[in-house]
Amino acid sequence: MIKTPYLLFLGDAPDQLAAKVAQGIRDWRPEFAIGQYRMEGCRADMGLPDMTLSEARDAGAETLVIGVANRGGVISPEWRHVLAEALLLGFDLASGLHSLLRDEPELAAIASAERRLLHDVRVPPVRYPIANGVKRSGKRCLAVGTDCSVGKMYTALAMDAEMRTRGMKATFRATGQTGILITGDGVPLDAVIADFMAGSIEWLTPDNDPDHWDLIEGQGSLFHASYSGVTMALIHGGQPDALILCHEPTRAHMRGLPDYALPTLEELRDLSLTLARRVNPAAKVVGISLNTHHLSDADAAACVAETEARMGLPAVDPFRHGAARLVDALEGM
Amino acid sequence: MIKTPYLLFLGDAPDQLAAKVAQGIRDWRPEFAIGQYRMEGCRADMGLPDMTLSEARDAGAETLVIGVANRGGVISPEWRHVLAEALLLGFDLASGLHSLLRDEPELAAIASAERRLLHDVRVPPVRYPIANGVKRSGKRCLAVGTDCSVGKMYTALAMDAEMRTRGMKATFRATGQTGILITGDGVPLDAVIADFMAGSIEWLTPDNDPDHWDLIEGQGSLFHASYSGVTMALIHGGQPDALILCHEPTRAHMRGLPDYALPTLEELRDLSLTLARRVNPAAKVVGISLNTHHLSDADAAACVAETEARMGLPAVDPFRHGAARLVDALEGM
């Protein structure tokens, strides 16, 4: 568990997109972010107060979160003295980069001497159990996609926010680096050892109140040859009561696999249900989330209407329309 | 790649079953096993010459293979001095135990000083790629099961042996610890990091002659909540042309999951085909392997006949009947 609140480290981000982790925290957990730290040349801006490390500590910040990814996912030499100073001032550090904080000898030495924590969220922090398939109390919703990177995390976070607004019992369950940094907790599923994948998801979504919903962040796609095993483990470990189908209607082929066409929403519905019912016979597909980012307003509206009519399920783009109708579908179960 | 031939270390195995790794080598790669090493109290016997370490070295043995598993999968203190002496005499060591040879300080020190190799086959020795889904040349056959431990490895090894007898081009591709120790090579799939599972199977079964068959060892089951993600990665990474359905007809519930019934062979056929065709549209189910170990001869014959008639596919128990009809099915493709 990463201590909050955060100071968001934007480093020398060349543009806003490079700081997408910081943006995710700003969008979904604004109460965690009390300021931003920008170096010379930084071209990202979260609209938060610019703070020095000392100012942020004085304001109560506990963890400096690396909210920026540079090419290659490495810790750049320019950042090192800032990170070292942060540790000396009392910050923990958190990073989702490929290269690890703990592998930087200077940072590791300071953290050890000063008793600070280095959170490398790509590395599973726990030894997860093997899944046992036993039915758990409480309810679970999982977003599955026709492809990778079609908006599964965004959909679950938008539903989580809507459910909190309504006073429903809901917890977003992060399964990827960005999600973990946003919420401070979760399982980095793509880095888990094969035998423990489903068990890690059981661990992440334990018994809960009968009216509590876990909103499980999806990963990969059952139809993506590179990552389908990860998605399978999410379904069998997550025991979802409700499935949300996620789709990006303009994509020409599977992400990174130019020879592979996307499956249809019907194929995704049928396969996901077959698999989910193995662990939860009551599993249902309750709604569709469309990522219409590349469509005009008119085309997006037409796409949503056509999909809703064809599939007989509520369809929304949560970014344009909010997630209220998806949450209505959960409430109606 | 583990150097052959082997001396099989049976240690103080309390019975024959405890030495199942040694038995597998003896059954399937007898040319690799020039002798056995037994300690006082050993109650397993592979019917091989009993040799001292020196005798085995003189006879050409290159690797001492730990062919026995004791409770907990640890390296027992009684074994240590034998293993240390073997290293000093010039052996490499190979083990599939949970506790690792490399974590024994004395063994690690001797191996380093004497330039011997410690093969811990539970630890992936390579950094595998992410799967790219590109169609490869050559043919591949994968055994999939209604459950774990229903005879998938045995089936593939029996087919491999039959195909070599016929002069066909065939390679058994090990994906588990026992298979790796039997053949000296393979991928310990259950220990691979989630993101690289399918890629490790692409790596294991590369481009080959058009008439060459890879016989890929199956793992887990698509219907087993604990391990289904591993099986999924085998199907999407393996791009099988031919699937063999494996089943144990007397099993009352899924292995380790008392609340879960086994799926039918029809369910296994349909789900496996749906998934395999995503990466290989020509994939076919070509035969059925039944593990009739717990049935009488008459009941086994009836079970095989009933299954064959119902499914319209050749069905055999390769242990009782050999794998010839399954290989006929591959030849007929």
Side-chain angles (χ1 to χ4, degrees):
Chain A
M1 196 93 186
I2 303 170
K3 273 185 286 185
T4 58
Y6 303 152
L7 176 65
L8 302 183
F9 177 79
L10 308 186
D12 44 6
D15 54 32
Q16 197 75 3
L17 199 62
K20 79 172 187 171
V21 166
Q23 189 70 54
I25 296 168
R26 176 76 174 116
D27 288 346
W28 300 108
R29 294 291 182 273
E31 69 275 22
F32 288 179
I34 61 170
Q36 62 188 14
Y37 182 98
R38 300 196 293 170
M39 295 169 63
E40 190 163 321
C42 180
R43 307 189 62 170
D45 184 357
M46 297 300 130
L48 291 167
D50 284 296
M51 291 183 175
T52 65
L53 296 172
S54 302
E55 287 167 354
R57 273 302 281 168
D58 291 344
E62 296 279 2
T63 304
L64 182 70
V65 174
I66 299 184
V68 54
N70 53 15
R71 199 180 294 265
V74 300
I75 293 160
S76 88
E78 291 73 36
W79 299 356
R80 273 194 208 119
H81 76 275
V82 182
L83 303 181
E85 191 192 339
L87 289 171
L88 289 168
L89 285 170
F91 285 92
D92 291 342
L93 302 182
S95 161
L97 295 174
H98 271 287
S99 58
L100 304 182
L101 296 166
R102 67 186 67 171
D103 291 341
E104 299 285 327
E106 187 195 355
L107 299 182
I110 299 174
S112 168
E114 305 283 326
R115 300 185 174 268
R116 311 288 175 240
L117 295 176
L118 301 179
H119 297 281
D120 286 303
V121 302
R122 280 187 186 267
V123 181
V126 219
R127 199 184 156 91
Y128 303 112
I130 300 241
N132 64 21
V134 174
K135 178 74 182 143
R136 305 190 292 291
S137 55
K139 292 179 179 166
R140 283 156 201 90
C141 175
L142 174 67
V144 292
T146 50
D147 194 3
C148 302
S149 307
V150 291
K152 296 185 297 291
M153 182 181 81
Y154 192 99
T155 301
L157 282 165
M159 292 177 71
D160 174 62
E162 172 71 17
M163 292 168 87
R164 288 163 180 240
T165 302
R166 295 189 191 186
M168 296 171 71
K169 295 181 189 168
T171 309
F172 173 80
R173 299 295 190 183
T175 61
Q177 285 77 27
T178 306
I180 294 170
L181 288 172
I182 290 175
T183 60
D185 205 359
V187 166
L189 184 57
D190 62 6
V192 172
I193 299 280
D195 253 4
F196 304 96
M197 293 187 298
S200 75
I201 301 304
E202 292 189 348
W203 176 91
L204 181 66
T205 61
D207 279 322
N208 217 316
D209 297 343
D211 58 344
H212 177 275
W213 281 94
D214 278 328
L215 297 156
I216 307 173
E217 181 190 355
Q219 294 294 336
S221 165
L222 293 169
F223 295 85
H224 196 293
S226 314
Y227 308 117
S228 55
V230 177
T231 315
M232 179 71 128
L234 267 168
I235 293 178
H236 278 172
Q239 299 181 348
D241 301 272
L243 293 158
I244 307 285
L245 310 181
C246 299
H247 183 56
E248 206 277 66
T250 69
R251 201 165 286 186
H253 60 75
M254 297 293 283
R255 189 174 166 89
L257 306 178
D259 298 339
Y260 287 81
L262 268 70
T264 62
L265 281 166
E266 287 86 346
E267 289 175 287
L268 176 62
R269 174 194 63 200
D270 294 347
L271 181 56
S272 306
L273 264 186
T274 298
L275 299 175
R277 287 185 172 158
R278 178 73 184 160
V279 288
N280 185 347
K284 280 186 187 166
V285 173
V286 299
I288 297 168
S289 175
L290 295 164
N291 179 342
T292 63
H293 180 67
H294 295 294
L295 297 180
S296 68
D297 282 351
D299 287 348
C303 175
V304 166
E306 185 278 324
T307 304
E308 180 152 333
R310 193 177 95 230
M311 301 292 293
L313 289 165
V316 298
D317 180 334
F319 188 80
R320 290 180 188 250
H321 317 120
R325 296 186 60 225
L326 299 178
V327 173
D328 292 346
L330 293 192
E331 284 203 297
M333 281 184 76
Chain B
M1 195 93 187
I2 303 169
K3 273 186 286 183
T4 59
Y6 303 153
L7 176 64
L8 301 183
F9 177 80
L10 308 186
D12 44 8
D15 54 32
Q16 196 76 3
L17 199 62
K20 80 171 187 170
V21 166
Q23 189 70 54
I25 296 168
R26 176 78 172 111
D27 287 346
W28 299 109
R29 293 292 183 272
E31 68 275 22
F32 288 178
I34 61 171
Q36 62 188 13
Y37 182 98
R38 302 195 292 169
M39 294 168 63
E40 190 162 321
C42 180
R43 307 188 63 170
D45 184 357
M46 298 300 130
L48 291 166
D50 283 298
M51 291 183 174
T52 65
L53 295 172
S54 301
E55 286 167 354
R57 274 301 282 166
D58 291 345
E62 297 279 2
T63 305
L64 182 71
V65 175
I66 299 184
V68 54
N70 53 16
R71 199 179 295 264
V74 300
I75 294 161
S76 88
E78 292 73 36
W79 299 356
R80 272 194 209 117
H81 77 274
V82 182
L83 303 182
E85 191 191 340
L87 289 171
L88 289 168
L89 285 170
F91 285 92
D92 291 341
L93 301 182
S95 161
L97 296 174
H98 272 287
S99 57
L100 304 182
L101 295 167
R102 68 186 67 171
D103 291 341
E104 298 286 327
E106 186 194 356
L107 299 182
I110 300 174
S112 169
E114 305 284 325
R115 301 184 171 266
R116 310 288 175 239
L117 296 176
L118 300 179
H119 296 282
D120 286 303
V121 302
R122 280 186 187 268
V123 181
V126 217
R127 200 184 155 90
Y128 303 112
I130 301 240
N132 64 22
V134 175
K135 178 76 182 141
R136 304 189 294 289
S137 55
K139 291 179 180 167
R140 285 159 199 86
C141 175
L142 173 67
V144 292
T146 51
D147 194 3
C148 302
S149 308
V150 291
K152 296 184 296 291
M153 183 182 80
Y154 192 99
T155 301
L157 282 164
M159 293 177 70
D160 174 63
E162 172 71 17
M163 292 168 87
R164 287 164 179 240
T165 302
R166 294 188 191 186
M168 295 170 71
K169 295 181 190 168
T171 309
F172 173 80
R173 300 294 191 183
T175 61
Q177 285 76 27
T178 306
I180 294 171
L181 288 171
I182 290 175
T183 59
D185 205 358
V187 166
L189 184 57
D190 62 6
V192 172
I193 300 279
D195 253 6
F196 303 96
M197 293 187 300
S200 75
I201 302 304
E202 292 188 348
W203 176 91
L204 181 67
T205 60
D207 280 322
N208 217 315
D209 296 344
D211 57 343
H212 176 276
W213 281 94
D214 278 328
L215 297 156
I216 307 173
E217 180 189 356
Q219 294 293 336
S221 164
L222 293 169
F223 295 86
H224 197 293
S226 313
Y227 308 116
S228 55
V230 177
T231 316
M232 179 71 129
L234 267 168
I235 293 178
H236 279 172
Q239 299 180 348
D241 300 273
L243 293 159
I244 307 285
L245 310 182
C246 299
H247 183 56
E248 207 277 65
T250 69
R251 199 165 287 186
H253 60 75
M254 297 294 282
R255 189 173 166 90
L257 305 179
D259 299 338
Y260 287 80
L262 268 70
T264 63
L265 281 165
E266 287 85 346
E267 288 174 288
L268 176 62
R269 174 194 64 200
D270 294 347
L271 182 55
S272 306
L273 263 186
T274 297
L275 299 176
R277 287 186 172 157
R278 178 72 184 158
V279 288
N280 185 348
K284 280 186 188 167
V285 173
V286 300
I288 297 167
S289 175
L290 295 165
N291 179 343
T292 63
H293 180 66
H294 295 294
L295 297 180
S296 68
D297 282 350
D299 287 348
C303 175
V304 166
E306 184 279 324
T307 303
E308 180 151 333
R310 191 178 98 233
M311 301 292 293
L313 289 165
V316 299
D317 180 334
F319 188 80
R320 289 180 190 250
H321 317 118
R325 295 184 60 227
L326 299 178
V327 174
D328 292 346
L330 292 192
E331 284 202 299
M333 280 184 78

